[in-house]
Amino acid sequence: MSTPELVPGLAGVPAAESSVSFIDGTQGILAYRGHRIEVLAEKSTFEETTWLLWNGVLPTRAQLDAFKQELQPYYALAPELVAALKALPRKGHPMEALQAMVAMLGMVSPACDLKDEASRHDASLRVLAAVPVLVACFERLRRGEELVEPDPSLSIAANFLWCMNGVKPSAIEERILDCALVLHAEHTMNASTFACRVVASTETGAYTAVSGAVGTLYGPLHGGANERVLKQLEEIGGPENAKAWFDAKVAAKAKVMGLGHRVYKTKDPRAHSLQNLARELFESHGSTPLYDTALEIERLAADTFGSRGIWPNVDFFSGIVYQKLGIPTDVFTPIFAIARTAGWLAHWREQMGDNKLFRPGQIYTGVHDAEWKDLDDRG
Ligand code: ACO
């Protein structure tokens, strides 16, 4: 029997058929259910985009209104969850807290009948509505502040900022976070989405599938790059230092965080939209040296790396936008998780629609017919 070829990391190996999203890395195209990301970033909201991801088509006004009304009662956390949040170690990372709390959400929610579309929809609503509140409440408790009751009249983005800060966000702050959620909501078969589908394929349910996906996103090779871009910009210290810093990185053949992508070989379309958001935010709230430094690094990188297909990715501008919104650095990846919950649940629903348990093969590299020796006879 011939040995199958190993593809490390399953790079490029199709793991499922999916109609949720599409990427063309050469042309810089990302589309959710056929709708280009630039259009969604400009015209849609996170709630509308989630409906699109879950249902395959844009909602009517009545459907969107009904969707928001279904979601908003689920902002409120069960008392058991509030007690558990208060008991979590404050020094843990917010992603570890979120992974634990999403699993616990499943323990206080009604059992989901995986064969029933209404039951799957209800579980999806509960997860999508609770995840931002869980992130916000953990942050608030960590700061030693009292929890704030969620406000069911607010959008997911505005309610998140309200629950975290105890202050209603301005229209522009809400719109910018909402747009960032749209941009991060879905991205084909990345590691956390694959993890979500693998867990889902055992028919365990939405809560464990999303909890597993949160744990996967937490890793620095996946969701953590936005934190590192911010640290890099702080280390440079200002646009006047950018050229010397950049030349030293190039000379040392070191990687510049926020540049390059496994799939995109041109500027990540989400980076274009985030840059527009950053520009809008800095025009209204005043610029910072970090933004000016980022623009200078982008200009230098285009000259040096552009011809090699290394361009800014989505994380190049997200950190400075979140920082300007007053969000702590280690909450950047949880915001990614809030957004990506929409995409994970779209994949969970797709997987449940035609499930097949994931059970890949392996290439065995161990020994055969090893000799058994009794304990006292072993050297
Ligand atoms: N800065 C400088 N050089 C780079 C960069 C970069 N950011 N990215 C790639 N290169 C160079 C490598 O040094 C390598 O050069 P060589 O051929 O001379 O050895 C070549 O390009 C290929 O690099 P790989 O890492 O093999 O390319 P791949 O396409 O597999 O990597 C990746 C993509 C991992 C994202 C890479 O570009 C990188 O590490 N970027 C920085 C980290 C980052 O921003 N990650 C966020 C990605 S977006 C996201 O996850 C949401």
PDB file of all heavy atoms in Angstrom, residues 72 148 177 179 286 302 305 346 348:
ATOM      1  N   GLN A  72     -31.602  40.475  21.771  1.00  0.00           N
ATOM      2  CA  GLN A  72     -31.345  41.387  22.890  1.00  0.00           C
ATOM      3  C   GLN A  72     -31.711  40.832  24.272  1.00  0.00           C
ATOM      4  O   GLN A  72     -30.985  41.081  25.233  1.00  0.00           O
ATOM      5  CB  GLN A  72     -31.956  42.759  22.581  1.00  0.00           C
ATOM      6  CG  GLN A  72     -31.073  43.461  21.529  1.00  0.00           C
ATOM      7  CD  GLN A  72     -31.734  44.576  20.762  1.00  0.00           C
ATOM      8  OE1 GLN A  72     -32.958  44.630  20.680  1.00  0.00           O
ATOM      9  NE2 GLN A  72     -30.935  45.453  20.176  1.00  0.00           N
ATOM     10  N   VAL A 148     -22.172  46.353  35.139  1.00  0.00           N
ATOM     11  CA  VAL A 148     -23.226  47.226  34.609  1.00  0.00           C
ATOM     12  C   VAL A 148     -24.244  46.324  33.919  1.00  0.00           C
ATOM     13  O   VAL A 148     -23.856  45.405  33.191  1.00  0.00           O
ATOM     14  CB  VAL A 148     -22.604  48.211  33.576  1.00  0.00           C
ATOM     15  CG1 VAL A 148     -23.672  49.008  32.875  1.00  0.00           C
ATOM     16  CG2 VAL A 148     -21.601  49.116  34.243  1.00  0.00           C
ATOM     17  N   LEU A 177     -16.480  50.402  16.098  1.00  0.00           N
ATOM     18  CA  LEU A 177     -16.380  49.036  16.630  1.00  0.00           C
ATOM     19  C   LEU A 177     -17.278  48.088  15.830  1.00  0.00           C
ATOM     20  O   LEU A 177     -16.873  46.975  15.490  1.00  0.00           O
ATOM     21  CB  LEU A 177     -16.754  48.986  18.119  1.00  0.00           C
ATOM     22  CG  LEU A 177     -16.621  47.583  18.707  1.00  0.00           C
ATOM     23  CD1 LEU A 177     -15.170  47.086  18.649  1.00  0.00           C
ATOM     24  CD2 LEU A 177     -17.126  47.510  20.136  1.00  0.00           C
ATOM     25  N   CYS A 179     -18.093  48.287  12.746  1.00  0.00           N
ATOM     26  CA  CYS A 179     -17.447  48.000  11.457  1.00  0.00           C
ATOM     27  C   CYS A 179     -16.291  47.012  11.640  1.00  0.00           C
ATOM     28  O   CYS A 179     -16.110  46.101  10.828  1.00  0.00           O
ATOM     29  CB  CYS A 179     -16.970  49.314  10.853  1.00  0.00           C
ATOM     30  SG  CYS A 179     -16.320  49.097   9.215  1.00  0.00           S
ATOM     31  N   GLY A 286      -8.473  63.282  17.082  1.00  0.00           N
ATOM     32  CA  GLY A 286      -7.081  63.730  17.146  1.00  0.00           C
ATOM     33  C   GLY A 286      -6.126  62.589  16.855  1.00  0.00           C
ATOM     34  O   GLY A 286      -6.336  61.469  17.309  1.00  0.00           O
ATOM     35  N   ALA A 302       5.934  49.227   1.409  1.00  0.00           N
ATOM     36  CA  ALA A 302       5.463  49.097   0.019  1.00  0.00           C
ATOM     37  C   ALA A 302       6.658  49.090  -0.925  1.00  0.00           C
ATOM     38  O   ALA A 302       6.720  48.298  -1.876  1.00  0.00           O
ATOM     39  CB  ALA A 302       4.506  50.233  -0.316  1.00  0.00           C
ATOM     40  N   PHE A 305       8.889  45.599   0.234  1.00  0.00           N
ATOM     41  CA  PHE A 305       8.273  44.262   0.205  1.00  0.00           C
ATOM     42  C   PHE A 305       7.155  44.101  -0.825  1.00  0.00           C
ATOM     43  O   PHE A 305       6.719  42.983  -1.087  1.00  0.00           O
ATOM     44  CB  PHE A 305       7.661  43.935   1.578  1.00  0.00           C
ATOM     45  CG  PHE A 305       8.650  43.786   2.690  1.00  0.00           C
ATOM     46  CD1 PHE A 305       8.427  44.399   3.914  1.00  0.00           C
ATOM     47  CD2 PHE A 305       9.791  43.017   2.536  1.00  0.00           C
ATOM     48  CE1 PHE A 305       9.323  44.248   4.961  1.00  0.00           C
ATOM     49  CE2 PHE A 305      10.698  42.863   3.575  1.00  0.00           C
ATOM     50  CZ  PHE A 305      10.459  43.486   4.792  1.00  0.00           C
ATOM     51  N   ALA A 346     -21.978  30.263  11.909  1.00  0.00           N
ATOM     52  CA  ALA A 346     -22.415  29.967  10.537  1.00  0.00           C
ATOM     53  C   ALA A 346     -21.857  28.605  10.111  1.00  0.00           C
ATOM     54  O   ALA A 346     -22.556  27.779   9.501  1.00  0.00           O
ATOM     55  CB  ALA A 346     -21.951  31.066   9.583  1.00  0.00           C
ATOM     56  N   TRP A 348     -20.853  26.212  12.197  1.00  0.00           N
ATOM     57  CA  TRP A 348     -21.478  25.188  13.059  1.00  0.00           C
ATOM     58  C   TRP A 348     -22.810  24.747  12.440  1.00  0.00           C
ATOM     59  O   TRP A 348     -23.106  23.553  12.330  1.00  0.00           O
ATOM     60  CB  TRP A 348     -21.691  25.747  14.474  1.00  0.00           C
ATOM     61  CG  TRP A 348     -22.430  24.811  15.367  1.00  0.00           C
ATOM     62  CD1 TRP A 348     -21.986  23.621  15.846  1.00  0.00           C
ATOM     63  CD2 TRP A 348     -23.760  24.970  15.873  1.00  0.00           C
ATOM     64  NE1 TRP A 348     -22.955  23.031  16.624  1.00  0.00           N
ATOM     65  CE2 TRP A 348     -24.047  23.843  16.664  1.00  0.00           C
ATOM     66  CE3 TRP A 348     -24.731  25.956  15.748  1.00  0.00           C
ATOM     67  CZ2 TRP A 348     -25.277  23.671  17.320  1.00  0.00           C
ATOM     68  CZ3 TRP A 348     -25.946  25.794  16.417  1.00  0.00           C
ATOM     69  CH2 TRP A 348     -26.205  24.660  17.184  1.00  0.00           C
TER      70      TRP A 348
END
